[in-house]
PDB file of all heavy atoms in Angstrom:
ATOM      1  N   LEU S   2       4.680   4.683  20.506  1.00 84.00           N
ATOM      2  CA  LEU S   2       3.299   4.385  20.142  1.00 84.00           C
ATOM      3  C   LEU S   2       2.364   5.562  20.370  1.00 84.00           C
ATOM      4  O   LEU S   2       1.354   5.715  19.670  1.00 84.00           O
ATOM      5  CB  LEU S   2       2.799   3.179  20.942  1.00 84.00           C
ATOM      6  CG  LEU S   2       3.222   1.810  20.436  1.00 84.00           C
ATOM      7  CD1 LEU S   2       2.775   0.729  21.398  1.00 84.00           C
ATOM      8  CD2 LEU S   2       2.665   1.557  19.050  1.00 84.00           C
ATOM      9  N   ASP S   3       2.696   6.401  21.343  1.00 84.00           N
ATOM     10  CA  ASP S   3       1.828   7.541  21.653  1.00 84.00           C
ATOM     11  C   ASP S   3       1.678   8.480  20.465  1.00 84.00           C
ATOM     12  O   ASP S   3       0.667   9.183  20.347  1.00 84.00           O
ATOM     13  CB  ASP S   3       2.375   8.317  22.853  1.00 84.00           C
ATOM     14  CG  ASP S   3       2.314   7.513  24.141  1.00 84.00           C
ATOM     15  OD1 ASP S   3       1.488   6.580  24.206  1.00 84.00           O
ATOM     16  OD2 ASP S   3       3.091   7.815  25.062  1.00 84.00           O
ATOM     17  N   ASP S   4       2.689   8.519  19.621  1.00 88.00           N
ATOM     18  CA  ASP S   4       2.680   9.486  18.522  1.00 88.00           C
ATOM     19  C   ASP S   4       2.370   8.862  17.165  1.00 88.00           C
ATOM     20  O   ASP S   4       2.378   9.565  16.152  1.00 88.00           O
ATOM     21  CB  ASP S   4       4.038  10.201  18.450  1.00 88.00           C
ATOM     22  CG  ASP S   4       4.303  11.062  19.673  1.00 88.00           C
ATOM     23  OD1 ASP S   4       3.352  11.721  20.139  1.00 88.00           O
ATOM     24  OD2 ASP S   4       5.438  11.056  20.174  1.00 88.00           O
ATOM     25  N   VAL S   5       2.102   7.557  17.131  1.00 90.00           N
ATOM     26  CA  VAL S   5       1.771   6.912  15.858  1.00 90.00           C
ATOM     27  C   VAL S   5       0.262   6.997  15.636  1.00 90.00           C
ATOM     28  O   VAL S   5      -0.524   6.499  16.436  1.00 90.00           O
ATOM     29  CB  VAL S   5       2.226   5.445  15.835  1.00 90.00           C
ATOM     30  CG1 VAL S   5       1.737   4.761  14.554  1.00 90.00           C
ATOM     31  CG2 VAL S   5       3.746   5.367  15.924  1.00 90.00           C
ATOM     32  N   GLU S   6      -0.127   7.625  14.554  1.00 90.00           N
ATOM     33  CA  GLU S   6      -1.539   7.759  14.214  1.00 90.00           C
ATOM     34  C   GLU S   6      -2.030   6.584  13.377  1.00 90.00           C
ATOM     35  O   GLU S   6      -3.164   6.130  13.533  1.00 90.00           O
ATOM     36  CB  GLU S   6      -1.756   9.063  13.431  1.00 90.00           C
ATOM     37  CG  GLU S   6      -3.159   9.240  12.867  1.00 90.00           C
ATOM     38  CD  GLU S   6      -4.244   9.342  13.933  1.00 90.00           C
ATOM     39  OE1 GLU S   6      -3.906   9.659  15.099  1.00 90.00           O
ATOM     40  OE2 GLU S   6      -5.410   9.088  13.603  1.00 90.00           O
ATOM     41  N   GLN S   7      -1.166   6.058  12.498  1.00 91.00           N
ATOM     42  CA  GLN S   7      -1.620   5.045  11.565  1.00 91.00           C
ATOM     43  C   GLN S   7      -0.425   4.371  10.894  1.00 91.00           C
ATOM     44  O   GLN S   7       0.624   4.988  10.705  1.00 91.00           O
ATOM     45  CB  GLN S   7      -2.489   5.730  10.490  1.00 91.00           C
ATOM     46  CG  GLN S   7      -3.266   4.825   9.592  1.00 91.00           C
ATOM     47  CD  GLN S   7      -4.118   5.624   8.606  1.00 91.00           C
ATOM     48  OE1 GLN S   7      -3.891   5.553   7.393  1.00 91.00           O
ATOM     49  NE2 GLN S   7      -5.065   6.389   9.114  1.00 91.00           N
ATOM     50  N   PHE S   8      -0.611   3.099  10.557  1.00 93.00           N
ATOM     51  CA  PHE S   8       0.352   2.388   9.716  1.00 93.00           C
ATOM     52  C   PHE S   8      -0.273   2.207   8.333  1.00 93.00           C
ATOM     53  O   PHE S   8      -1.441   1.834   8.212  1.00 93.00           O
ATOM     54  CB  PHE S   8       0.682   1.004  10.291  1.00 93.00           C
ATOM     55  CG  PHE S   8       1.458   1.046  11.578  1.00 93.00           C
ATOM     56  CD1 PHE S   8       0.865   0.699  12.780  1.00 93.00           C
ATOM     57  CD2 PHE S   8       2.796   1.412  11.581  1.00 93.00           C
ATOM     58  CE1 PHE S   8       1.583   0.727  13.970  1.00 93.00           C
ATOM     59  CE2 PHE S   8       3.523   1.441  12.761  1.00 93.00           C
ATOM     60  CZ  PHE S   8       2.916   1.099  13.956  1.00 93.00           C
ATOM     61  N   ARG S   9       0.518   2.438   7.290  1.00 94.00           N
ATOM     62  CA  ARG S   9       0.045   2.261   5.921  1.00 94.00           C
ATOM     63  C   ARG S   9       1.077   1.454   5.146  1.00 94.00           C
ATOM     64  O   ARG S   9       2.263   1.436   5.511  1.00 94.00           O
ATOM     65  CB  ARG S   9      -0.209   3.608   5.236  1.00 94.00           C
ATOM     66  CG  ARG S   9      -1.183   4.502   5.982  1.00 94.00           C
ATOM     67  CD  ARG S   9      -1.420   5.820   5.263  1.00 94.00           C
ATOM     68  NE  ARG S   9      -2.232   5.653   4.062  1.00 94.00           N
ATOM     69  CZ  ARG S   9      -3.556   5.656   4.052  1.00 94.00           C
ATOM     70  NH1 ARG S   9      -4.236   5.810   5.177  1.00 94.00           N
ATOM     71  NH2 ARG S   9      -4.217   5.502   2.922  1.00 94.00           N
ATOM     72  N   LEU S  10       0.632   0.787   4.111  1.00 94.00           N
ATOM     73  CA  LEU S  10       1.532  -0.007   3.284  1.00 94.00           C
ATOM     74  C   LEU S  10       1.524   0.556   1.870  1.00 94.00           C
ATOM     75  O   LEU S  10       0.467   0.740   1.265  1.00 94.00           O
ATOM     76  CB  LEU S  10       1.096  -1.475   3.262  1.00 94.00           C
ATOM     77  CG  LEU S  10       2.138  -2.425   2.665  1.00 94.00           C
ATOM     78  CD1 LEU S  10       3.278  -2.620   3.657  1.00 94.00           C
ATOM     79  CD2 LEU S  10       1.515  -3.759   2.309  1.00 94.00           C
ATOM     80  N   LEU S  11       2.699   0.818   1.338  1.00 95.00           N
ATOM     81  CA  LEU S  11       2.851   1.361  -0.005  1.00 95.00           C
ATOM     82  C   LEU S  11       3.495   0.319  -0.909  1.00 95.00           C
ATOM     83  O   LEU S  11       4.555  -0.226  -0.571  1.00 95.00           O
ATOM     84  CB  LEU S  11       3.723   2.624   0.027  1.00 95.00           C
ATOM     85  CG  LEU S  11       3.987   3.300  -1.311  1.00 95.00           C
ATOM     86  CD1 LEU S  11       2.691   3.881  -1.879  1.00 95.00           C
ATOM     87  CD2 LEU S  11       5.036   4.406  -1.142  1.00 95.00           C
ATOM     88  N   VAL S  12       2.851   0.009  -2.031  1.00 95.00           N
ATOM     89  CA  VAL S  12       3.433  -0.893  -3.018  1.00 95.00           C
ATOM     90  C   VAL S  12       4.305  -0.047  -3.944  1.00 95.00           C
ATOM     91  O   VAL S  12       3.801   0.758  -4.723  1.00 95.00           O
ATOM     92  CB  VAL S  12       2.347  -1.633  -3.816  1.00 95.00           C
ATOM     93  CG1 VAL S  12       2.979  -2.521  -4.882  1.00 95.00           C
ATOM     94  CG2 VAL S  12       1.480  -2.470  -2.875  1.00 95.00           C
ATOM     95  N   VAL S  13       5.621  -0.234  -3.846  1.00 95.00           N
ATOM     96  CA  VAL S  13       6.576   0.560  -4.611  1.00 95.00           C
ATOM     97  C   VAL S  13       6.721   0.019  -6.031  1.00 95.00           C
ATOM     98  O   VAL S  13       6.762   0.765  -7.005  1.00 95.00           O
ATOM     99  CB  VAL S  13       7.937   0.587  -3.902  1.00 95.00           C
ATOM    100  CG1 VAL S  13       8.948   1.415  -4.681  1.00 95.00           C
ATOM    101  CG2 VAL S  13       7.784   1.132  -2.479  1.00 95.00           C
ATOM    102  N   GLN S  14       6.783  -1.314  -6.148  1.00 95.00           N
ATOM    103  CA  GLN S  14       6.866  -1.971  -7.458  1.00 95.00           C
ATOM    104  C   GLN S  14       5.948  -3.174  -7.473  1.00 95.00           C
ATOM    105  O   GLN S  14       5.830  -3.898  -6.482  1.00 95.00           O
ATOM    106  CB  GLN S  14       8.300  -2.411  -7.758  1.00 95.00           C
ATOM    107  CG  GLN S  14       9.274  -1.264  -7.965  1.00 95.00           C
ATOM    108  CD  GLN S  14      10.662  -1.767  -8.354  1.00 95.00           C
ATOM    109  OE1 GLN S  14      10.831  -2.910  -8.753  1.00 95.00           O
ATOM    110  NE2 GLN S  14      11.650  -0.908  -8.224  1.00 95.00           N
ATOM    111  N   GLY S  15       5.294  -3.410  -8.620  1.00 94.00           N
ATOM    112  CA  GLY S  15       4.350  -4.502  -8.733  1.00 94.00           C
ATOM    113  C   GLY S  15       2.945  -4.038  -8.408  1.00 94.00           C
ATOM    114  O   GLY S  15       2.632  -2.844  -8.446  1.00 94.00           O
ATOM    115  N   THR S  16       2.088  -4.982  -8.072  1.00 92.00           N
ATOM    116  CA  THR S  16       0.710  -4.680  -7.726  1.00 92.00           C
ATOM    117  C   THR S  16       0.430  -5.136  -6.302  1.00 92.00           C
ATOM    118  O   THR S  16       1.253  -5.810  -5.677  1.00 92.00           O
ATOM    119  CB  THR S  16      -0.270  -5.398  -8.683  1.00 92.00           C
ATOM    120  OG1 THR S  16      -0.150  -6.824  -8.491  1.00 92.00           O
ATOM    121  CG2 THR S  16       0.046  -5.062 -10.134  1.00 92.00           C
ATOM    122  N   ARG S  17      -0.737  -4.802  -5.795  1.00 89.00           N
ATOM    123  CA  ARG S  17      -1.081  -5.188  -4.428  1.00 89.00           C
ATOM    124  C   ARG S  17      -1.196  -6.703  -4.280  1.00 89.00           C
ATOM    125  O   ARG S  17      -0.892  -7.240  -3.222  1.00 89.00           O
ATOM    126  CB  ARG S  17      -2.383  -4.502  -4.011  1.00 89.00           C
ATOM    127  CG  ARG S  17      -2.225  -2.993  -3.872  1.00 89.00           C
ATOM    128  CD  ARG S  17      -3.525  -2.302  -3.512  1.00 89.00           C
ATOM    129  NE  ARG S  17      -3.320  -0.867  -3.357  1.00 89.00           N
ATOM    130  CZ  ARG S  17      -4.266  -0.005  -3.029  1.00 89.00           C
ATOM    131  NH1 ARG S  17      -5.498  -0.441  -2.811  1.00 89.00           N
ATOM    132  NH2 ARG S  17      -3.993   1.292  -2.915  1.00 89.00           N
ATOM    133  N   LEU S  18      -1.642  -7.377  -5.323  1.00 88.00           N
ATOM    134  CA  LEU S  18      -1.748  -8.826  -5.265  1.00 88.00           C
ATOM    135  C   LEU S  18      -0.446  -9.519  -5.617  1.00 88.00           C
ATOM    136  O   LEU S  18      -0.189 -10.638  -5.171  1.00 88.00           O
ATOM    137  CB  LEU S  18      -2.865  -9.305  -6.197  1.00 88.00           C
ATOM    138  CG  LEU S  18      -4.297  -9.047  -5.713  1.00 88.00           C
ATOM    139  CD1 LEU S  18      -5.300  -9.485  -6.768  1.00 88.00           C
ATOM    140  CD2 LEU S  18      -4.567  -9.749  -4.393  1.00 88.00           C
ATOM    141  N   GLN S  19       0.391  -8.855  -6.421  1.00 92.00           N
ATOM    142  CA  GLN S  19       1.684  -9.420  -6.814  1.00 92.00           C
ATOM    143  C   GLN S  19       2.773  -8.354  -6.640  1.00 92.00           C
ATOM    144  O   GLN S  19       3.339  -7.850  -7.616  1.00 92.00           O
ATOM    145  CB  GLN S  19       1.624  -9.909  -8.266  1.00 92.00           C
ATOM    146  CG  GLN S  19       0.662 -11.067  -8.459  1.00 92.00           C
ATOM    147  CD  GLN S  19       0.597 -11.538  -9.898  1.00 92.00           C
ATOM    148  OE1 GLN S  19       0.527 -10.743 -10.835  1.00 92.00           O
ATOM    149  NE2 GLN S  19       0.654 -12.853 -10.089  1.00 92.00           N
ATOM    150  N   PRO S  20       3.085  -8.022  -5.391  1.00 94.00           N
ATOM    151  CA  PRO S  20       4.062  -6.964  -5.136  1.00 94.00           C
ATOM    152  C   PRO S  20       5.504  -7.450  -5.287  1.00 94.00           C
ATOM    153  O   PRO S  20       5.823  -8.586  -4.927  1.00 94.00           O
ATOM    154  CB  PRO S  20       3.779  -6.577  -3.687  1.00 94.00           C
ATOM    155  CG  PRO S  20       3.288  -7.853  -3.069  1.00 94.00           C
ATOM    156  CD  PRO S  20       2.514  -8.564  -4.155  1.00 94.00           C
ATOM    157  N   ASP S  21       6.359  -6.600  -5.835  1.00 96.00           N
ATOM    158  CA  ASP S  21       7.795  -6.878  -5.892  1.00 96.00           C
ATOM    159  C   ASP S  21       8.518  -6.150  -4.765  1.00 96.00           C
ATOM    160  O   ASP S  21       9.461  -6.684  -4.177  1.00 96.00           O
ATOM    161  CB  ASP S  21       8.367  -6.445  -7.246  1.00 96.00           C
ATOM    162  CG  ASP S  21       7.766  -7.244  -8.392  1.00 96.00           C
ATOM    163  OD1 ASP S  21       7.644  -8.470  -8.254  1.00 96.00           O
ATOM    164  OD2 ASP S  21       7.404  -6.634  -9.417  1.00 96.00           O
ATOM    165  N   GLU S  22       8.062  -4.928  -4.472  1.00 96.00           N
ATOM    166  CA  GLU S  22       8.675  -4.136  -3.402  1.00 96.00           C
ATOM    167  C   GLU S  22       7.589  -3.329  -2.702  1.00 96.00           C
ATOM    168  O   GLU S  22       6.722  -2.737  -3.344  1.00 96.00           O
ATOM    169  CB  GLU S  22       9.735  -3.187  -3.946  1.00 96.00           C
ATOM    170  CG  GLU S  22      10.413  -2.362  -2.856  1.00 96.00           C
ATOM    171  CD  GLU S  22      11.491  -1.425  -3.385  1.00 96.00           C
ATOM    172  OE1 GLU S  22      11.823  -1.524  -4.589  1.00 96.00           O
ATOM    173  OE2 GLU S  22      11.991  -0.592  -2.596  1.00 96.00           O
ATOM    174  N   VAL S  23       7.650  -3.346  -1.369  1.00 96.00           N
ATOM    175  CA  VAL S  23       6.686  -2.591  -0.568  1.00 96.00           C
ATOM    176  C   VAL S  23       7.428  -1.790   0.487  1.00 96.00           C
ATOM    177  O   VAL S  23       8.617  -2.029   0.757  1.00 96.00           O
ATOM    178  CB  VAL S  23       5.661  -3.521   0.115  1.00 96.00           C
ATOM    179  CG1 VAL S  23       4.856  -4.299  -0.908  1.00 96.00           C
ATOM    180  CG2 VAL S  23       6.352  -4.470   1.096  1.00 96.00           C
ATOM    181  N   ALA S  24       6.749  -0.829   1.074  1.00 96.00           N
ATOM    182  CA  ALA S  24       7.333  -0.027   2.152  1.00 96.00           C
ATOM    183  C   ALA S  24       6.280   0.227   3.217  1.00 96.00           C
ATOM    184  O   ALA S  24       5.098   0.432   2.900  1.00 96.00           O
ATOM    185  CB  ALA S  24       7.859   1.304   1.605  1.00 96.00           C
ATOM    186  N   LEU S  25       6.679   0.163   4.471  1.00 96.00           N
ATOM    187  CA  LEU S  25       5.797   0.509   5.578  1.00 96.00           C
ATOM    188  C   LEU S  25       5.860   2.014   5.797  1.00 96.00           C
ATOM    189  O   LEU S  25       6.947   2.583   5.950  1.00 96.00           O
ATOM    190  CB  LEU S  25       6.221  -0.222   6.855  1.00 96.00           C
ATOM    191  CG  LEU S  25       5.377   0.094   8.095  1.00 96.00           C
ATOM    192  CD1 LEU S  25       3.970  -0.473   7.955  1.00 96.00           C
ATOM    193  CD2 LEU S  25       6.054  -0.448   9.357  1.00 96.00           C
ATOM    194  N   VAL S  26       4.697   2.653   5.788  1.00 96.00           N
ATOM    195  CA  VAL S  26       4.617   4.089   6.045  1.00 96.00           C
ATOM    196  C   VAL S  26       4.041   4.279   7.446  1.00 96.00           C
ATOM    197  O   VAL S  26       2.943   3.797   7.749  1.00 96.00           O
ATOM    198  CB  VAL S  26       3.729   4.802   5.009  1.00 96.00           C
ATOM    199  CG1 VAL S  26       3.696   6.304   5.276  1.00 96.00           C
ATOM    200  CG2 VAL S  26       4.224   4.519   3.591  1.00 96.00           C
ATOM    201  N   VAL S  27       4.791   4.944   8.304  1.00 94.00           N
ATOM    202  CA  VAL S  27       4.366   5.186   9.676  1.00 94.00           C
ATOM    203  C   VAL S  27       3.941   6.650   9.782  1.00 94.00           C
ATOM    204  O   VAL S  27       4.763   7.556   9.689  1.00 94.00           O
ATOM    205  CB  VAL S  27       5.499   4.891  10.682  1.00 94.00           C
ATOM    206  CG1 VAL S  27       4.994   5.076  12.119  1.00 94.00           C
ATOM    207  CG2 VAL S  27       6.040   3.487  10.471  1.00 94.00           C
ATOM    208  N   VAL S  28       2.643   6.874   9.925  1.00 94.00           N
ATOM    209  CA  VAL S  28       2.101   8.229  10.011  1.00 94.00           C
ATOM    210  C   VAL S  28       2.069   8.640  11.478  1.00 94.00           C
ATOM    211  O   VAL S  28       1.436   7.975  12.308  1.00 94.00           O
ATOM    212  CB  VAL S  28       0.691   8.309   9.406  1.00 94.00           C
ATOM    213  CG1 VAL S  28       0.187   9.750   9.412  1.00 94.00           C
ATOM    214  CG2 VAL S  28       0.694   7.756   7.982  1.00 94.00           C
ATOM    215  N   THR S  29       2.753   9.721  11.809  1.00 92.00           N
ATOM    216  CA  THR S  29       2.886  10.151  13.207  1.00 92.00           C
ATOM    217  C   THR S  29       2.297  11.544  13.406  1.00 92.00           C
ATOM    218  O   THR S  29       2.183  12.338  12.471  1.00 92.00           O
ATOM    219  CB  THR S  29       4.355  10.151  13.641  1.00 92.00           C
ATOM    220  OG1 THR S  29       5.099  11.057  12.816  1.00 92.00           O
ATOM    221  CG2 THR S  29       4.949   8.752  13.513  1.00 92.00           C
ATOM    222  N   LEU S  30       1.949  11.827  14.651  1.00 90.00           N
ATOM    223  CA  LEU S  30       1.402  13.137  14.984  1.00 90.00           C
ATOM    224  C   LEU S  30       2.487  14.201  14.998  1.00 90.00           C
ATOM    225  O   LEU S  30       2.239  15.365  14.666  1.00 90.00           O
ATOM    226  CB  LEU S  30       0.706  13.077  16.344  1.00 90.00           C
ATOM    227  CG  LEU S  30      -0.455  12.082  16.450  1.00 90.00           C
ATOM    228  CD1 LEU S  30      -0.972  12.005  17.876  1.00 90.00           C
ATOM    229  CD2 LEU S  30      -1.577  12.461  15.492  1.00 90.00           C
ATOM    230  N   VAL S  31       3.688  13.790  15.414  1.00 89.00           N
ATOM    231  CA  VAL S  31       4.852  14.689  15.437  1.00 89.00           C
ATOM    232  C   VAL S  31       6.039  13.931  14.857  1.00 89.00           C
ATOM    233  O   VAL S  31       5.998  12.708  14.689  1.00 89.00           O
ATOM    234  CB  VAL S  31       5.176  15.160  16.867  1.00 89.00           C
ATOM    235  CG1 VAL S  31       4.028  15.973  17.454  1.00 89.00           C
ATOM    236  CG2 VAL S  31       5.495  13.970  17.774  1.00 89.00           C
ATOM    237  N   LYS S  32       7.078  14.616  14.551  1.00 90.00           N
ATOM    238  CA  LYS S  32       8.268  13.977  14.012  1.00 90.00           C
ATOM    239  C   LYS S  32       8.975  13.175  15.107  1.00 90.00           C
ATOM    240  O   LYS S  32       9.276  13.698  16.185  1.00 90.00           O
ATOM    241  CB  LYS S  32       9.225  15.032  13.450  1.00 90.00           C
ATOM    242  CG  LYS S  32      10.395  14.443  12.675  1.00 90.00           C
ATOM    243  CD  LYS S  32      11.210  15.536  12.013  1.00 90.00           C
ATOM    244  CE  LYS S  32      12.355  14.946  11.201  1.00 90.00           C
ATOM    245  NZ  LYS S  32      13.139  15.994  10.508  1.00 90.00           N
ATOM    246  N   LEU S  33       9.237  11.886  14.848  1.00 89.00           N
ATOM    247  CA  LEU S  33       9.896  11.024  15.828  1.00 89.00           C
ATOM    248  C   LEU S  33      11.409  11.169  15.743  1.00 89.00           C
ATOM    249  O   LEU S  33      11.982  11.225  14.647  1.00 89.00           O
ATOM    250  CB  LEU S  33       9.529   9.551  15.583  1.00 89.00           C
ATOM    251  CG  LEU S  33       8.055   9.141  15.718  1.00 89.00           C
ATOM    252  CD1 LEU S  33       7.919   7.647  15.504  1.00 89.00           C
ATOM    253  CD2 LEU S  33       7.498   9.534  17.065  1.00 89.00           C
ATOM    254  N   ASP S  34      12.063  11.201  16.901  1.00 89.00           N
ATOM    255  CA  ASP S  34      13.524  11.240  16.876  1.00 89.00           C
ATOM    256  C   ASP S  34      14.058   9.823  16.616  1.00 89.00           C
ATOM    257  O   ASP S  34      13.314   8.850  16.611  1.00 89.00           O
ATOM    258  CB  ASP S  34      14.086  11.831  18.171  1.00 89.00           C
ATOM    259  CG  ASP S  34      13.705  11.024  19.412  1.00 89.00           C
ATOM    260  OD1 ASP S  34      13.570   9.793  19.298  1.00 89.00           O
ATOM    261  OD2 ASP S  34      13.539  11.628  20.484  1.00 89.00           O
ATOM    262  N   GLU S  35      15.338   9.711  16.409  1.00 90.00           N
ATOM    263  CA  GLU S  35      15.941   8.436  16.012  1.00 90.00           C
ATOM    264  C   GLU S  35      15.739   7.349  17.061  1.00 90.00           C
ATOM    265  O   GLU S  35      15.549   6.178  16.732  1.00 90.00           O
ATOM    266  CB  GLU S  35      17.426   8.632  15.727  1.00 90.00           C
ATOM    267  CG  GLU S  35      17.701   9.368  14.423  1.00 90.00           C
ATOM    268  CD  GLU S  35      17.083   8.667  13.230  1.00 90.00           C
ATOM    269  OE1 GLU S  35      17.184   7.425  13.140  1.00 90.00           O
ATOM    270  OE2 GLU S  35      16.476   9.347  12.386  1.00 90.00           O
ATOM    271  N   ALA S  36      15.792   7.717  18.326  1.00 88.00           N
ATOM    272  CA  ALA S  36      15.634   6.722  19.389  1.00 88.00           C
ATOM    273  C   ALA S  36      14.244   6.080  19.349  1.00 88.00           C
ATOM    274  O   ALA S  36      14.091   4.874  19.566  1.00 88.00           O
ATOM    275  CB  ALA S  36      15.872   7.364  20.756  1.00 88.00           C
ATOM    276  N   LEU S  37      13.222   6.890  19.033  1.00 88.00           N
ATOM    277  CA  LEU S  37      11.862   6.365  18.977  1.00 88.00           C
ATOM    278  C   LEU S  37      11.611   5.571  17.696  1.00 88.00           C
ATOM    279  O   LEU S  37      10.719   4.733  17.644  1.00 88.00           O
ATOM    280  CB  LEU S  37      10.859   7.515  19.092  1.00 88.00           C
ATOM    281  CG  LEU S  37      10.818   8.234  20.454  1.00 88.00           C
ATOM    282  CD1 LEU S  37       9.826   9.385  20.426  1.00 88.00           C
ATOM    283  CD2 LEU S  37      10.465   7.258  21.574  1.00 88.00           C
ATOM    284  N   ARG S  38      12.407   5.822  16.677  1.00 91.00           N
ATOM    285  CA  ARG S  38      12.251   5.089  15.425  1.00 91.00           C
ATOM    286  C   ARG S  38      12.926   3.707  15.476  1.00 91.00           C
ATOM    287  O   ARG S  38      12.607   2.827  14.680  1.00 91.00           O
ATOM    288  CB  ARG S  38      12.850   5.880  14.266  1.00 91.00           C
ATOM    289  CG  ARG S  38      12.148   7.205  13.999  1.00 91.00           C
ATOM    290  CD  ARG S  38      12.754   7.895  12.781  1.00 91.00           C
ATOM    291  NE  ARG S  38      12.140   9.196  12.548  1.00 91.00           N
ATOM    292  CZ  ARG S  38      12.285   9.915  11.449  1.00 91.00           C
ATOM    293  NH1 ARG S  38      13.051   9.446  10.458  1.00 91.00           N
ATOM    294  NH2 ARG S  38      11.689  11.084  11.304  1.00 91.00           N
ATOM    295  N   ALA S  39      13.834   3.525  16.416  1.00 91.00           N
ATOM    296  CA  ALA S  39      14.659   2.322  16.468  1.00 91.00           C
ATOM    297  C   ALA S  39      13.850   1.016  16.531  1.00 91.00           C
ATOM    298  O   ALA S  39      14.168   0.050  15.813  1.00 91.00           O
ATOM    299  CB  ALA S  39      15.643   2.405  17.632  1.00 91.00           C
ATOM    300  N   PRO S  40      12.797   0.910  17.385  1.00 90.00           N
ATOM    301  CA  PRO S  40      12.060  -0.363  17.441  1.00 90.00           C
ATOM    302  C   PRO S  40      11.450  -0.755  16.100  1.00 90.00           C
ATOM    303  O   PRO S  40      11.456  -1.936  15.733  1.00 90.00           O
ATOM    304  CB  PRO S  40      10.972  -0.093  18.498  1.00 90.00           C
ATOM    305  CG  PRO S  40      11.532   1.008  19.345  1.00 90.00           C
ATOM    306  CD  PRO S  40      12.318   1.873  18.407  1.00 90.00           C
ATOM    307  N   LEU S  41      10.966   0.213  15.357  1.00 92.00           N
ATOM    308  CA  LEU S  41      10.362  -0.092  14.059  1.00 92.00           C
ATOM    309  C   LEU S  41      11.418  -0.452  13.027  1.00 92.00           C
ATOM    310  O   LEU S  41      11.195  -1.322  12.173  1.00 92.00           O
ATOM    311  CB  LEU S  41       9.530   1.105  13.575  1.00 92.00           C
ATOM    312  CG  LEU S  41       8.126   1.191  14.195  1.00 92.00           C
ATOM    313  CD1 LEU S  41       7.518   2.562  13.970  1.00 92.00           C
ATOM    314  CD2 LEU S  41       7.229   0.116  13.602  1.00 92.00           C
ATOM    315  N   ARG S  42      12.558   0.181  13.096  1.00 93.00           N
ATOM    316  CA  ARG S  42      13.639  -0.165  12.165  1.00 93.00           C
ATOM    317  C   ARG S  42      14.125  -1.591  12.433  1.00 93.00           C
ATOM    318  O   ARG S  42      14.409  -2.349  11.508  1.00 93.00           O
ATOM    319  CB  ARG S  42      14.791   0.828  12.312  1.00 93.00           C
ATOM    320  CG  ARG S  42      14.473   2.249  11.846  1.00 93.00           C
ATOM    321  CD  ARG S  42      15.764   3.033  11.705  1.00 93.00           C
ATOM    322  NE  ARG S  42      15.550   4.455  11.534  1.00 93.00           N
ATOM    323  CZ  ARG S  42      15.198   5.036  10.387  1.00 93.00           C
ATOM    324  NH1 ARG S  42      14.977   4.296   9.316  1.00 93.00           N
ATOM    325  NH2 ARG S  42      15.043   6.347  10.318  1.00 93.00           N
ATOM    326  N   GLN S  43      14.221  -1.982  13.703  1.00 93.00           N
ATOM    327  CA  GLN S  43      14.655  -3.323  14.055  1.00 93.00           C
ATOM    328  C   GLN S  43      13.623  -4.353  13.598  1.00 93.00           C
ATOM    329  O   GLN S  43      13.964  -5.419  13.083  1.00 93.00           O
ATOM    330  CB  GLN S  43      14.884  -3.421  15.569  1.00 93.00           C
ATOM    331  CG  GLN S  43      15.418  -4.765  16.035  1.00 93.00           C
ATOM    332  CD  GLN S  43      16.768  -5.104  15.411  1.00 93.00           C
ATOM    333  OE1 GLN S  43      17.614  -4.241  15.180  1.00 93.00           O
ATOM    334  NE2 GLN S  43      16.978  -6.394  15.133  1.00 93.00           N
TER     335      GLN S  43
END
């Protein structure tokens, strides 16, 4: 959490009101290693 600046949501397919596919974008201050990414992946 110390390195997360912002969470954003990207609509990959469809629209914001009728989305087919979305992705969570995690904007960080530095590049997170795999161990720190694990809670969000789970």
